């Protein structure tokens, strides 16, 4: 029993909307995340553009990534070019560094690799203009968080992504939260092409606005985060047998419609997402004698659900 | 090459001490974490008290946990009592919830378990006075962090642990950072005994000062974080075959001296730790065109090393 009760308290389930705050303070049960989402309107959910949806097939299952087209369009375009060449097929997860990142790409494009076997990028660019941040998109809906942040002057959500902003510089960027996918690069800022990508599995905010963010994992994070950590320095696998093989990466737009991921993402400018933020901040329930009353940018996860079949 | 360069930039290695900040701003290479630690004095390191050191043997290796004796003495004492009864031997890791916690204990002490087979706590207490926070220990060395925090009014390090403080309430607590070990409990605040523990593998700051912290993992985190996530709700494993068996948990003080973990922890009130904080904050090197200049409490890890043999 103890564990189930711990769970009840630990889940986002400990929640209330602004409207129910008074009820909570009066000791009444508060709605859970599940309840908030159950009451959400269909229009509060969006189907990601299949041009922005990558499907990476691993032996263990499927990882679905939404490209951050509006933040890093040059990188999104180059990744699409690579994917359409089937560049990633047969490559591997080459690195899992504990509390940091899981990285994939060409194992030969490494100091231990066979340089003669490095896969060609084909029609894709080998270098790209850095897109580490962009001018604040004033016309995009912005859902600010009220509790501050260590790394950025302002934080919130824009277009489904966790974002940091600096009004002084006029720039914004997708933050390196859990599930953020970034573009590996060499020392030169323009050396990232998207041929090697990483997903954040731990503390990585120090990378913010120093690398280009490719997107965010919508489905399958446990397939990337639950891997054995690489035994070599920085989590590399020197032994090829330890690497996880990438069977294929496809753009959803290029897949037959029935095979495309049928998933929906809660709009971050929706009332239901605002209710979830409020729930995470106040989260009164019997399990928490002293709720923290705050929420950090990377402690909020944008909900994803199976789409209802369209007939 | 790309990956090795990415690494160079990503590691704590991108570092400088306060003394070298000027050099860094002048574009000179800055010392790495490895270099800072190589110059550290022997007196800056401590050997954890073997009365506070748990050694959990898994089939995959050893996890070493330092109990937070000064923060949660009643819980530390009860856990010692359990360990000395070999309470944990043969129990299991029962839950791995992605981006949250890995939890271990008695699989039968769950709603799917066989209640008739629940292991007795023996001489240990089934309930404990909550130790979710303590009065700020004004006489303990305090190493504050200067960049703020979302969840606590003040943060820093005390006695080797990441700590949040609230001057208004006069309380402090060990923060739920990566590697923090907490005491699972039922809804009743006094229902945690230490018979089920969890290690933080993701975002869990909302638990701060709502659960008792047992300690911190000094060695073996990848053995807890790199496990397959449980397929049941909240990361439980319903199938016993998926659980990782705990071979034994021992107190280092009860082990023959040669078998005790020979590890040292960098003192968090040392000059070298201050230099590491500074390095993490400023981290100028060629990889970062625009370093963030900040560091969060949970982005700093207190270094642990093999102790030199004593002859």
């Amino acid at each position: 029993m103890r564990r189930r009760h711990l769970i009840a308290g630990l889940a986002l389930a400990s929640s209330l909307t602004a409207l129910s705050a008074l009820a909570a303070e009066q000791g009444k049960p508060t709605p859970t995340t599940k309840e908030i989402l159950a009451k959400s309107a269909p229009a509060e959910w969006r189907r990601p553009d299949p041009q922005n949806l990558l499907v990476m097939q691993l032996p263990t299952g499927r990882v679905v990534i939404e490209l951050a087209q509006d933040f890093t369009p040059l990188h999104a375009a180059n990744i699409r070019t690579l994917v359409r060449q089937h560049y990633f097929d047969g490559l591997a997860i080459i690195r899992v560094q504990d509390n940091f990142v899981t990285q994939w790409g060409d194992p030969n494009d490494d100091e231990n690799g066979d340089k003669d076997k490095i896969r060609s990028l084909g029609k894709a660019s080998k270098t790209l203009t850095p897109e580490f941040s962009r001018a604040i998109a004033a016309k995009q809906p912005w859902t600010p968080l009220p509790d501050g942040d260590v790394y950025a002057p302002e934080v919130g959500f824009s277009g489904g992504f966790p974002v940091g902003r600096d009004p002084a510089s006029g720039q914004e960027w997708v933050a390196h939260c859990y599930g953020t996918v970034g573009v590996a690069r060499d020392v030169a800022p323009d050396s990232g092409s998207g041929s090697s990508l990483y997903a954040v599995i731990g503390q990585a905010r120090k990378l913010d606005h120093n690398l280009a963010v490719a997107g965010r994992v919508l489905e399958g994070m446990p397939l990337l985060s639950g891997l054995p950590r690489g035994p070599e320095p920085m989590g590399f696998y020197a032994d090829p047998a330890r690497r996880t093989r990438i069977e294929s990466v496809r753009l959803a737009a290029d897949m037959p419609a029935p095979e495309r991921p049928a998933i929906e993402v809660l709009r971050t400018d929706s009332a239901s997402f605002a209710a979830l933020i409020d729930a995470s901040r106040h989260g009164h329930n019997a399990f928490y004698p002293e709720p923290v009353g705050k929420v950090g940018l990377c402690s909020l996860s944008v909900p994803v659900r199976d789409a209802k079949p369209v007939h």
Side-chain angles (χ1 to χ4, degrees), chain A:
Chain A
M1 286 300 285
R2 185 175 301 109
R3 282 132 203 112
R4 292 293 167 190
H5 281 292
L6 173 59
I7 289 166
L10 299 189
L12 259 180
S14 55
S15 39
L16 76 165
T17 65
L19 288 173
S20 65
L22 183 62
E25 282 166 14
Q26 292 171 342
K28 293 181 189 171
T30 55
T32 63
T33 295
K34 193 175 175 182
E35 288 165 347
I36 291 171
L37 295 184
K39 288 182 184 173
S40 64
E44 292 186 306
W45 297 82
R46 64 185 173 87
R47 285 286 284 265
D49 185 339
Q51 291 287 345
N52 294 337
L53 219 47
L54 300 183
V55 181
M56 177 162 69
Q57 193 65 45
L58 302 176
T60 45
R62 181 177 83 170
V63 177
V64 179
I65 296 165
E66 183 173 22
L67 294 173
Q69 165 69 27
D70 290 345
F71 288 87
T72 51
L74 298 175
H75 287 76
N78 215 47
I79 291 168
R80 277 187 211 98
T81 301
L82 288 165
V83 166
R84 288 187 158 139
Q85 294 168 183
H86 295 186
Y87 171 82
F88 291 98
D89 298 15
L91 299 184
I93 294 172
I94 57 176
R95 171 190 186 200
V96 184
Q97 181 172 353
D98 197 45
N99 196 22
F100 195 46
V101 297
T102 292
Q103 188 179 344
W104 59 97
D106 185 349
N108 285 314
D109 190 13
D110 186 11
E111 63 186 28
N112 294 320
D114 183 343
K115 288 180 185 171
D116 293 335
K117 294 187 179 172
I118 291 177
R119 189 170 293 194
S120 164
L121 302 192
K123 294 178 181 173
S125 296
K126 290 183 181 174
T127 60
L128 289 173
T129 302
E131 295 173 306
F132 302 161
S133 64
R134 70 172 184 184
I136 291 174
K139 291 181 182 176
Q140 292 277 349
W142 172 243
T143 305
L145 293 182
D147 299 315
D149 183 72
V150 171
Y151 293 91
E154 294 179 2
V155 291
F157 288 82
S158 177
F161 293 93
V163 168
R165 284 184 166 184
D166 182 0
S169 70
Q171 294 288 301
E172 66 181 357
W173 54 87
V174 177
H176 278 77
C177 294
Y178 189 82
T180 292
V181 175
V183 176
R185 64 169 169 85
D186 207 330
V187 171
D190 69 352
S191 60
S193 67
S195 64
S196 185
L197 299 168
Y198 59 86
V200 173
I201 61 167
Q203 302 290 331
R205 292 290 306 279
K206 70 180 297 191
L207 305 181
D208 279 11
H209 60 70
N210 281 281
L211 286 101
V213 164
R216 184 174 87 91
V217 175
L218 299 183
E219 180 187 308
M221 266 307 289
L223 306 182
L224 300 175
S225 63
L227 294 170
R229 278 50 185 154
E232 311 304 322
M234 310 300 160
F236 276 85
Y237 302 108
D239 177 3
R242 288 177 178 254
R243 296 179 192 134
T244 300
R245 178 183 153 88
I246 297 170
E247 296 181 353
S248 65
V249 178
R250 294 290 179 273
L251 198 65
D254 297 339
M255 300 170 73
E259 293 176 19
R260 294 179 189 171
I263 56 180
E264 294 180 333
V265 182
L266 187 65
R267 292 182 188 275
T268 48
D269 57 344
S270 67
S272 289
F273 191 65
L276 286 175
I277 292 171
D278 198 57
S280 295
R281 295 183 67 229
H282 296 295
H284 295 258
N285 77 17
F287 189 79
Y288 290 86
E290 208 183 325
V292 290
K294 312 267 186 180
V295 70
L297 179 66
C298 293
S299 292
L300 282 164
S301 185
V302 181
V304 176
R305 69 176 184 186
D306 289 335
K308 286 173 186 156
V310 179
H311 296 291

